[in-house]
Structure formats: structure tokens, C-alpha cells
Amino acid sequence: MPHKIKVLVIFVLVVGVILRFVNIDNKIFNWDEVRSFYRLSGYVREEVIQQMFTGDIITPQDIQKYQTLSPEKKLDDAVYALSNNPEHPPLFYLMARFWMHLFGTPFSVRVLAVILGLLSLLPLYWLCCELFTTPLVGWVELALFSISPYQILLSQAAREYSLWTLMTIVSSAMLLYSLRTRKTISWIAYTLSIIGGLYSHLFFAITLFGQAIYTGITENWGWSKKIRAYLFTLLTATIAFLPWIIVIFTNYGRFEEVTAWTREFESGFQ
């Protein structure tokens, strides 16, 4: 690949990194981020409403209580608060809680999201090489991904989306590598990646569906060793995700309540 193209891509990558960090500490938290903070801090919605809306004047200090970690709320409180909203698997939020222990501010969680987004670049290049067997496609995709406004926006949110993106890319690259090499260690790594994906976002199941279709087509829907290895991997990941499946069904009424908007949403397309 021409040296000039590499230099251009590296320049675009640097621009993408800068755009992700610019003004990140001055942007107002959106409502979803606020809810994320009080959950990972160990508070549930009803508790926040009961303590906040008492008829007294609410000060910034009152609000910040629910945006940072406090000694009165332990890890088990955070796990309970997260399980009370089972539509969001807990992996990112537990990582964010640990991150806040290290750095102390809610803005640091945005930095964690940015880092996870940047970590997607390496497996993205690998995925392109697995798909197209040419480095040029990987370099071009790195440039497009790094300056994508959508990816930049997701990376700046203190939410699980950058981790979900990372796990989607890693699992897809690992699947291709496992099908190509048939190494046991690669299938183990693929299993870990899809477990991480499932604990990142429930919509990762859509990725798994696509990967299953791809695997079946490439193996002509036969009962080959690759198919057996893939099914065993899928079974292992499902068993590992079983605790959160139990959480979902245990709190199914709450799950129905908080996801009702998805059934009420109307597309502009007729």
C-alpha cells in the first residue's frame, strides 16, 4: 500500500481521537447517562424520587449525590439497582463503577467509553483482513470508523454502546479466525467474546443470529466439525448468560414496563 495513504489514514486516526476527547467534560449529561450514574452508584429510581422530590429546593449538591459513589452504597446495592433494570446487562456498568472508584468523577466514565471505542480500531482492522485478505480495506475502514460522527457520538456517552461495538467487532473477527484455523484456543476466545457481547447489550443476540446464519451457509448446513464446535461455543455462552436470563424473567414485569416504548414506537416509513 502506498506510503502516502498510510500517512493520510494515520492523520485521520489522530483527528478521530482528538474529536472524541474535545470538550467531553463540558457536555451536559443526558437523561440516560444520569440514570446510569445513579444505578451504578447503587440507587434505584424509586429511591431517588423519594429522597429528591420532598417539596424542598433541590440544590446541585443534592443531585450530585446520585452521580458519584458514596460509602453508604456498596457493590451489592449497585448489582441490585442494575438488576432492577434488566434491559441493560451489567458488564459496562460494573466496569464503570470500578472506573469511578479509581478516578472519582462521573466524567471519567465518558473517558472509559471513549477508550473502549478506540480499542475497537485494532480488531476492526483484523476483521477487515479476515474478510477481504488485503490490508488496504482495513486501513480505509479505520479511517472511516475513526471520523464517523455516529461512532464519535456513541463513544462520548457514558453508556454501554462502545463496549457493545467492541464486542461485536471482536466476536466477528474471532469467528472468522476460528472457522479458518480450527484452533481450540480460538474457539475459547470466541466464546469469551460472545459472553462479553451478551453481557454488554441484549441486542447482541442479533449479531449472534447473523453469525449463526453465516456459519451455516459457509458450512453448507452440514454436520461438520466446525458446526459442532460452533454449537458447543454457543451452548457454553448461553449457559454463561443464564444468570442474567433468570434476572430478566424474575423482573419481567419491570422489563415489560421499561421497554414499552419499543412497542409504541412508530416508524416514519409506511
Side-chain angles (χ1 to χ4, degrees):
M1 189 174 68
H3 178 70
K4 291 183 178 180
I5 295 181
K6 287 186 177 181
V7 172
L8 177 62
V9 171
I10 292 173
F11 173 76
V12 173
L13 287 174
V14 172
V15 171
V17 172
I18 293 174
L19 290 176
R20 281 166 169 79
F21 283 101
V22 166
N23 209 32
I24 192 175
D25 58 338
N26 291 322
K27 294 183 177 180
I28 298 174
F29 292 121
N30 62 47
W31 175 229
D32 285 334
E33 289 178 300
V34 170
R35 288 186 293 188
S36 298
F37 290 133
Y38 72 64
R39 288 170 193 161
L40 66 88
S41 298
Y43 296 94
V44 296
R45 179 174 178 268
E46 293 74 16
E47 188 177 10
V48 175
I49 293 175
Q50 182 180 6
Q51 295 181 13
M52 286 278 291
F53 299 97
T54 60
D56 298 328
I57 296 176
I58 300 175
T59 66
Q61 291 73 24
D62 295 328
I63 298 175
Q64 289 172 2
K65 171 185 176 181
Y66 305 99
Q67 305 298 292
T68 56
L69 303 182
S70 64
E72 66 183 48
K73 291 293 184 178
K74 306 300 182 183
L75 178 60
D76 56 341
D77 295 307
V79 172
Y80 173 76
L82 293 171
S83 66
N84 199 46
N85 287 84
E87 77 279 12
H88 295 291
L91 181 56
F92 173 80
Y93 299 101
L94 294 178
M95 293 172 61
R97 182 178 172 87
F98 174 75
W99 195 262
M100 285 184 68
H101 266 300
L102 293 178
F103 299 101
T105 66
F107 287 108
S108 65
V109 181
R110 281 183 170 174
V111 176
L112 172 63
V114 169
I115 292 174
L116 291 172
L118 293 175
L119 287 177
S120 299
L121 293 172
L122 289 177
L124 180 63
Y125 178 81
W126 177 28
L127 175 61
C128 290
C129 290
E130 289 286 343
L131 284 171
F132 303 102
T133 66
T134 171
L136 178 60
V137 176
W139 282 93
V140 172
E141 180 56 29
L142 286 181
L144 294 175
F145 185 91
S146 64
I147 60 172
S148 164
Y150 182 71
Q151 292 299 330
I152 292 174
L153 182 64
L154 288 185
S155 291
Q156 291 182 330
R159 301 281 283 171
E160 69 268 37
Y161 304 120
S162 55
L163 178 61
W164 176 24
T165 300
L166 174 61
M167 290 296 98
T168 298
I169 296 172
V170 170
S171 65
S172 298
M174 281 306 314
L175 174 61
L176 294 175
Y177 181 76
S178 300
L179 291 173
R180 180 169 59 84
T181 63
R182 292 179 289 183
K183 294 180 179 179
T184 301
I185 188 65
S186 65
W187 284 111
I188 294 174
Y190 174 62
T191 303
L192 294 176
S193 68
I194 61 178
I195 292 173
L198 288 170
Y199 275 102
S200 300
H201 201 290
L202 294 182
F203 282 176
F204 185 80
I206 300 174
T207 300
L208 280 183
F209 178 75
Q211 292 176 353
I213 295 297
Y214 175 85
T215 304
I217 291 175
T218 55
E219 293 301 308
N220 295 317
W221 304 103
W223 189 245
S224 64
K225 290 183 178 179
K226 293 180 181 179
I227 289 289
R228 292 196 294 271
Y230 175 77
L231 292 177
F232 181 76
T233 294
L234 200 59
L235 177 62
T236 303
T238 302
I239 294 173
F241 190 60
L242 190 59
W244 199 253
I245 295 176
I246 295 174
V247 169
I248 292 175
F249 280 101
T250 303
N251 299 276
Y252 193 72
R254 175 65 177 167
F255 182 82
E256 286 262 287
E257 176 188 347
V258 296
T259 59
W261 65 271
T262 61
R263 295 181 292 277
E264 298 169 358
F265 177 77
E266 293 185 3
S267 172
F269 299 97
Q270 300 295 332

